[in-house]
Amino acid sequence: MTQTIAQSAAVPAKRGVLESLTKSNWIGLVPFFAFIFFFLVLPSTNLLMRSFQDFDGNFTLANYAVMKNPYVIKAYSISLRVSVITSLVGGVFGFFVAYAITLGNTPRWMRNFLMTFSGLAANFGGVPLAFSYIATLGRTGFMTAVLKSICYTNAAGVQVCPFNPYDNGFNLYSIGGLVLAYTYFQFPLMVLTITPALEGLKKDWREASANLGASPFQYWRDVALPILWPSILGATLLLFGSAFGAYATAYALTGGSIYLITILISQQIRGDVLNNPYEGYALAVGMVIIMGITILAYTILQRQTARWLKS
Amino acid sequence: MKKPRFDLWSVFWAVAALLYFFVPLYGTFDFSLRMKKGEISLQAYQLVFSDPQFLRSFQYSTIMGIISVTISILIFVPTVYWLYLKLPKARPFVEIVTILPFVIPVIVYVYGINTAFGGAPLRLTSNTFTTDILMVGGYVVLSMPYMFRAIDVGMRTIDVRTLTEAAQSMGAGWAQILFNVIFPNLRIAILSGSLICFATVIGELILGDFLLRPALGPYMAAVGRDKAFEPAALAIISYALTWASLGLIQAISHGGTSQQQLTGR
């Protein structure tokens, strides 16, 4: 489903939208735009406008001083850190999996299976995802129990269980746990977005470089990766965006103890923790700006990919 | 040309991916069966299904899902149809509008809904009926990128102009064209869009949580706070539900492409 944006972004914008809209045939779009106005434009412009107002409704930029608040800086930096880590981990993992099921020589059933599963898992997030990680890797979880039970008696006659994750500093209810959980939907998202680009690599290029004496390493470094670079970067940005905007998994996993920016915003909605609702609006607008830049960069990169895929 | 049957590097990553998919699934399933000490039982599931709260929130989310799907179809099928028939130049613009929900995180979106409609003068969140309208609007917005995309792809495969002209020449009005010609031709696209929309509604936490409506998402979050085994059972139920709808889409969109078009071209 995330291919959705990938493909839709690939359609180049055409000129003349306004020109054709001025004719009378825009009538058919009225219901759509009325809906968009009421349910998308109104709520978002409301936040935007209020972020530039003070209590009396006068214009001000003071609300954006909230970005200097140490709690806000902390929340943004934790969110950025989690998003960068999960997009890199999910991106690298997903890239290799996509490679394995497109160019690599894997059994056919594995390919079909992984492709279908990626489509499913990329859409799996939220509360149930947190539940299954708690049931699997929580203190009493299934995998924790399995790893705990691997024990032996050492030379001194003491029972040692070297694989108990919680003895080795692992904690599911931490940033590390969150990264593990996010990877569950991040790497399938990478598989879905990068597969078309990998499939578009022409066999001729590989054969041509082999004929010229290039090793597989040289082929990847000098031919394949430079071509794939925009797609890889674009897909990673998409992963970054999906982690940055996520809330439900982190909330259900840690109950809000990891101070993500989405968690901070949720607390602001519930109880005005910043003691100034207008600063909350500025906070939300800041998040939309980061998401907007991410998705815009992704769209541009995806268009470049679409160009060479077509040629 | 002889190649080695499988290359180990690729098989390694494929197996790693399969493990990443299945270990949490199996772990959850195993955990959900261990409510009674020392034996395998379905007690966690029994408790979930006999909880009136669960049934109520499940019913609520299902009804909201059906309403959202219906409204989404009624908005997007005519819109995309019109785009193809009259305003192909406006399509890229509409397309960009439909991916905006990816730019606005849901938590920010619900914040916007709250500030725009919750306070004076509208106060739409102060009674359940108007709040439910906001919920449905929110669900339609959140599933819009998928719904638009599904209908758009479906519409591309049918010859909108020929179908419309043929229907018009036989005296059909706009409503008849839409409901008797366009809808049946798009049924697979509509079905797949609907299932995604429905799955979105069923799994959604934030709208219900912050608009204080008894949806399935907030119910699950509450159970997760107080219980140990029921959440695992709920996760399995939710996996089954989501994957049944999404799996169904994959099945119909793979098997059904040849019958996508009834008439035309």
Side-chain angles (χ1 to χ4, degrees):
Chain A
M1 241 167 287
T2 328
Q3 292 161 308
T4 318
I5 0 172
Q7 286 159 5
S8 61
V11 180
K14 284 172 197 150
R15 289 183 187 282
V17 175
L18 287 176
E19 170 200 330
S20 54
L21 280 176
T22 49
K23 294 178 198 157
S24 65
N25 50 15
W26 52 268
I27 289 173
L29 296 184
V30 167
F32 171 73
F33 281 111
F35 175 81
I36 290 298
F37 176 78
F38 197 73
F39 285 106
L40 198 62
V41 176
L42 215 55
S44 34
T45 49
N46 213 289
L47 279 185
L48 185 67
M49 272 156 46
R50 284 178 197 228
S51 76
F52 290 109
Q53 284 174 359
D54 60 17
F55 279 98
D56 304 319
N58 302 317
F59 176 84
T60 177
L61 287 173
N63 297 326
Y64 283 87
V66 73
M67 301 297 172
K68 284 189 243 161
N69 181 325
Y71 287 105
V72 172
I73 294 173
K74 195 179 152 211
Y76 266 115
S77 69
I78 293 180
S79 267
L80 288 174
R81 200 159 82 208
V82 167
S83 311
V84 168
I85 296 172
T86 58
S87 55
L88 290 181
V89 171
V92 171
F93 187 18
F95 179 83
F96 283 124
V97 175
Y99 169 85
I101 62 177
T102 51
L103 307 173
N105 228 349
T106 38
R108 183 179 290 275
W109 67 266
M110 269 192 186
R111 298 166 181 233
N112 295 338
F113 209 85
L114 281 172
M115 216 44 214
T116 312
F117 242 80
S118 296
L120 297 175
N123 292 288
F124 198 72
V127 183
L129 179 64
F131 286 174
S132 41
Y133 269 80
I134 293 171
T136 309
L137 279 167
R139 282 186 186 279
T140 56
F142 168 75
M143 270 312 277
T144 314
V146 169
L147 291 170
K148 248 187 199 169
S149 65
I150 306 173
C151 295
Y152 64 93
T153 315
N154 71 0
V158 184
Q159 183 93 336
V160 192
C161 306
F163 295 112
N164 182 354
Y166 284 84
D167 287 348
N168 291 312
F170 174 81
N171 181 4
L172 181 65
Y173 314 98
S174 67
I175 291 184
L178 200 58
V179 169
L180 274 181
Y182 278 13
T183 304
Y184 197 83
F185 60 80
Q186 291 284 53
F187 92 83
L189 195 54
M190 183 70 178
V191 172
L192 291 180
T193 29
I194 204 73
T195 296
L198 285 174
E199 278 172 346
L201 283 179
K202 308 252 187 313
K203 264 209 177 99
D204 317 5
W205 300 340
R206 180 161 216 159
E207 284 161 7
S209 43
N211 283 343
L212 294 171
S215 66
F217 174 74
Q218 280 173 317
Y219 162 74
W220 275 98
R221 192 193 58 191
D222 298 328
V223 181
L225 280 180
I227 295 171
L228 287 175
W229 186 236
S231 334
I232 295 175
L233 194 62
T236 312
L237 279 171
L238 187 69
L239 264 54
F240 173 87
S242 84
F244 193 68
Y247 164 78
T249 306
Y251 173 71
L253 190 64
T254 68
S257 65
I258 295 182
Y259 219 52
L260 298 174
I261 187 69
T262 44
I263 302 267
L264 181 60
I265 289 180
S266 77
Q267 291 173 347
Q268 173 68 12
I269 303 175
R270 284 219 167 90
D272 192 15
V273 288
L274 296 170
N275 291 319
N276 179 354
Y278 291 86
E279 289 189 346
Y281 305 138
L283 203 63
V285 171
M287 224 189 138
V288 173
I289 291 172
I290 294 181
M291 288 297 279
I293 293 171
T294 310
I295 299 291
L296 185 72
Y298 161 75
T299 312
I300 293 169
L301 288 165
Q302 203 64 38
R303 244 173 229 173
Q304 282 186 16
T305 311
R307 209 170 299 148
W308 70 258
L309 273 182
K310 241 185 274 171
S311 63
Chain B
M1 197 167 73
K2 269 198 178 173
K3 275 187 177 178
R5 243 171 84 71
F6 301 119
D7 84 85
L8 277 177
W9 175 249
S10 298
V11 171
F12 168 77
W13 286 106
V15 170
L18 287 174
L19 284 178
Y20 213 100
F21 280 139
F22 279 110
V23 168
L25 264 187
Y26 180 76
T28 315
F29 183 62
D30 184 273
F31 193 80
S32 73
L33 298 176
R34 294 190 185 272
M35 190 160 189
K36 277 187 190 161
K37 243 195 159 83
E39 60 173 299
I40 301 292
S41 74
L42 290 172
Q43 201 186 2
Y45 294 89
Q46 281 164 358
L47 283 175
V48 167
F49 283 119
S50 60
D51 182 358
Q53 254 336 64
F54 169 77
L55 297 175
R56 215 172 303 140
S57 57
F58 186 72
Q59 188 192 10
Y60 177 82
S61 283
T62 310
I63 293 173
M64 293 308 264
I66 293 169
I67 298 173
S68 306
V69 164
T70 313
I71 290 183
S72 190
I73 293 171
L74 288 179
I75 291 175
F76 288 102
V77 174
T79 301
V80 177
Y81 169 67
W82 193 266
L83 283 177
Y84 272 76
L85 189 67
K86 301 261 182 179
L87 277 174
K89 280 180 179 170
R91 205 188 70 93
F93 175 69
V94 172
E95 196 166 34
I96 288 172
V97 172
T98 60
I99 62 168
L100 281 180
F102 285 125
V103 179
I104 304 171
V106 192
I107 190 83
V108 172
Y109 178 70
V110 82
Y111 198 8
I113 290 273
N114 246 335
T115 47
F117 304 121
L122 294 169
R123 295 195 192 285
L124 294 186
T125 51
S126 56
N127 80 62
T128 53
F129 179 70
T130 46
T131 311
D132 283 346
I133 294 179
L134 294 178
M135 295 274 289
V136 168
Y139 288 139
V140 173
V141 166
L142 295 185
S143 57
M144 173 167 79
Y146 310 120
M147 185 56 113
F148 175 83
R149 183 71 201 164
I151 307 279
D152 183 55
V153 167
M155 201 70 81
R156 196 173 299 163
T157 61
I158 66 175
D159 189 343
V160 175
R161 194 163 294 274
T162 310
L163 286 176
T164 308
E165 281 165 4
Q168 273 176 332
S169 71
M170 290 191 275
W174 286 115
Q176 250 180 319
I177 295 177
L178 265 178
F179 287 99
N180 294 346
V181 179
I182 300 300
F183 272 76
N185 271 298
L186 284 179
R187 61 188 194 285
I188 287 166
I190 292 175
L191 190 60
S192 68
S194 307
L195 287 167
I196 301 173
C197 181
F198 190 75
T200 308
V201 177
I202 292 289
E204 227 293 312
L205 164 74
I206 300 173
L207 277 174
D209 206 8
F210 286 89
L211 297 177
L212 306 176
R213 298 298 294 141
L216 198 57
Y219 166 77
M220 287 181 39
V223 171
R225 275 193 294 271
D226 325 325
K227 308 265 172 70
F229 294 93
E230 287 92 330
L234 273 172
I236 294 291
I237 295 167
S238 149
Y239 270 115
L241 275 175
T242 325
W243 291 19
S245 11
L246 296 176
L248 205 56
I249 297 174
Q250 296 228 340
I252 50 176
S253 53
H254 278 203
T257 36
S258 53
Q259 321 148 4
Q260 176 105 20
Q261 193 167 6
L262 289 172
T263 45
R265 208 152 24 179

